[in-house]
């Protein structure tokens, strides 16, 4: 089933399918080949030094002359740029109809969207173009369409309609000690976490918060089409404007690795403030460095420098459980929440804290 808008022509759709195939080949077949060569060179390194490589820099030194890896890295960068460019080009001829659809949904329910066009973006967000997406998440009002299609390509279709988020939200909610009357999804994007929260806790008031208006407009469109009653608000996660002790459950999916260290601390403080006693805060994000091998750390380092992930290592190299404890949370714990391929990419860890 297709959940994203179809591009204007079959040529555009076929080209994006081609890009998706390249991504799948580089991230699976080619990476497995690189890993096999690395394991062989790791054995040689261990014989010479009496130990395995201790960090990603030593891993890099073992693979710096391996041409297939250079080709893999080139194709990863090219496919990411081509994905965003061709999706947007495919939507340009039908941009008018997409905007009409979006604006029509804005006036419909259930649910609503509250926009703040004058919202001042934090420094860590400005001029970043995260994930190589031109114009970031607020370029224009078709950005939500572009992002939705891009997520489908990036995950090779296995996460269509937010299948992974549904699983993660269900797991996160299972940790709640109190009934969830109000829930907040921070950094909600197009609502892929927000809608499952409402579906799993239909009696709760559910709010999705993000700073990018175009993403929220698209999130509301998705909610209307699914007849799910949620509210989307354009606010900062570190300054939500909600009163003290307001929410029972707060979820943050893959937003923390896009925050500066100061940003993380401020969001943690704000979440503690607006949670009720015994309320639950769950960060769902990529594994921290101590949870992965030096080889996986080396693969991730490429993302930092070539896929516009300026704060990824800020998150992964910090002690997030300690940040939660220092921020006032109790019963803090970390756990592996999602691992589609053991030891492989797309792992998600929970960082959990109670008020």
């Amino acid at each position: 089933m297709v959940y994203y808008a179809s591009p204007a022509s079959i040529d555009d759709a076929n080209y994006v399918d081609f890009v998706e195939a390249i991504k799948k080949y580089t991230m699976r077949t080619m990476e497995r080949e690189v890993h096999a060569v690395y394991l062989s060179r790791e054995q040689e390194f261990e014989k010479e030094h009496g130990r395995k490589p201790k960090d990603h820099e030593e891993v890099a030194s073992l693979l710096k002359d391996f041409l297939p890896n250079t080709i893999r890295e080139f194709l990863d960068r090219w496919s990411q740029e081509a994905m965003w460019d061709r999706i947007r080009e495919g939507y340009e001829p039908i941009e008018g109809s997409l905007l009409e659809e979006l604006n029509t949904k804005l006036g419909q329910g259930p649910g609503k969207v509250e926009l703040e066009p004058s919202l001042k973006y934090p420094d860590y967000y400005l001029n970043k173009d995260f994930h190589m997406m031109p114009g970031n998440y607020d370029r224009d009002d078709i950005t939500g369409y572009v992002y939705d299609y891009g997520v489908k390509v990036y995950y090779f279709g296995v996460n269509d309609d937010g299948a992974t988020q549904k699983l993660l939200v269900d797991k996160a909610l299972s940790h709640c000690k109190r009934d969830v009357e109000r829930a907040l999804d921070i950094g909600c994007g197009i609502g892929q976490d927000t809608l499952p929260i409402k579906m799993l806790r239909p009696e709760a008031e559910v709010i999705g918060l993000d700073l990018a208006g175009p993403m929220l407009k698209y999130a509301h469109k998705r909610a209307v089409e699914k007849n799910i009653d949620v509210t989307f608000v354009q606010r900062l996660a570190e300054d939500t404007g909600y009163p003290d002790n307001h929410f029972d459950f707060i979820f943050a999916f893959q937003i923390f690795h896009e925050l500066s260290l100061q940003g993380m601390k401020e969001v943690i403080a704000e979440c503690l403030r607006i949670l009720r006693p015994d309320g639950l805060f769950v960060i769902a994000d990529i594994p921290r460095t101590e949870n992965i091998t030096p080889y996986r750390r080396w693969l991730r380092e490429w993302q930092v420098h070539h896929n516009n992930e300026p704060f990824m290592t800020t998150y992964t190299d910090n002690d997030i459980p300690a940040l939660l404890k220092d921020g006032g949370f109790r019963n803090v714990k970390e756990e592996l929440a999602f691992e589609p391929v053991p030891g492989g990419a797309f792992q998600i860890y929970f960082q959990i804290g109670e008020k």
Side-chain angles (χ1 to χ4, degrees), residues 49-286:
H49 299 278
R51 62 174 177 82
K52 294 183 178 182
K54 67 177 183 296
D55 56 32
H56 68 282
E57 293 179 346
E58 289 190 340
V59 172
S61 69
L62 296 182
L63 292 168
K64 64 182 179 181
D65 63 344
F66 186 48
L67 181 59
N69 180 64
T70 302
I71 296 171
R72 179 189 67 83
E73 292 180 338
F74 167 79
L75 289 173
D76 276 349
R77 171 76 180 217
W78 172 85
S79 63
Q80 190 74 354
E81 293 178 335
M83 176 185 75
W84 295 126
D85 290 345
R86 195 55 179 254
I87 290 173
R88 181 164 286 278
E89 289 175 13
Y91 284 153
E92 284 176 355
I94 58 172
E95 182 173 352
S97 61
L98 295 179
L99 293 176
E100 182 179 359
E101 176 187 51
L102 199 65
N103 291 327
T104 298
K105 293 294 194 300
L106 282 177
Q108 297 178 1
K112 61 182 178 179
V113 57
E114 300 173 3
L115 301 173
E116 295 290 342
S118 61
L119 184 72
K120 183 179 179 181
Y121 294 139
D123 290 340
Y124 61 75
Y125 177 81
L126 293 171
N127 304 315
K128 293 297 191 296
D129 287 2
F130 290 104
H131 313 137
M132 298 295 297
M133 187 176 183
N136 222 340
Y137 301 123
D138 61 338
R139 175 175 173 176
D140 53 36
D141 276 352
I142 68 166
T143 296
Y145 290 93
V146 175
Y147 178 83
D148 196 16
Y149 199 173
V151 168
K152 176 263 180 191
V153 174
Y154 190 79
Y155 285 98
F156 320 135
V158 300
N159 195 40
D160 283 357
D161 202 31
T164 301
Q165 285 92 331
K166 291 177 182 176
L167 181 151
L168 291 171
V169 166
D170 193 20
K171 284 188 175 183
L173 285 167
S174 71
H175 290 277
C176 290
K177 292 182 178 178
R178 58 177 299 148
D179 292 339
V180 178
E181 297 177 1
R182 290 198 190 99
L184 178 66
D185 177 24
I186 60 174
C188 69
I190 61 172
Q192 290 174 304
D193 323 310
T194 324
L195 302 189
I197 295 173
K198 182 66 176 181
M199 293 165 65
L200 290 164
R201 294 293 186 274
E203 301 303 317
E205 176 188 0
V206 179
I207 296 171
L209 179 149
D210 203 282
L211 51 71
M215 301 289 276
L216 294 172
K217 291 180 182 180
Y218 188 81
H220 178 69
K221 180 190 88 74
R222 293 178 72 245
V224 169
E225 291 172 347
K226 294 174 180 291
N227 196 38
I228 298 177
D229 184 5
V230 295
T231 297
F232 292 102
V233 298
Q234 187 177 12
R235 304 184 189 183
L236 300 178
E238 56 267 56
D239 184 17
T240 66
Y242 288 107
D244 295 351
N245 306 315
H246 194 67
F247 292 99
D248 305 291
F249 175 71
I250 300 177
F251 191 67
F253 178 70
Q254 291 199 340
I255 176 180
F256 264 67
H257 79 262
E258 295 183 356
L259 298 174
S260 65
L261 180 58
Q262 183 61 30
M264 285 193 284
K265 291 179 179 179
E266 291 179 1
V267 172
I268 287 171
E270 178 70 352
C271 288
L272 184 73
R273 182 186 70 80
I274 61 178
L275 271 174
R276 291 172 175 169
D278 293 329
L280 191 73
F281 180 35
V282 179
I283 300 168
D285 218 305
I286 58 178

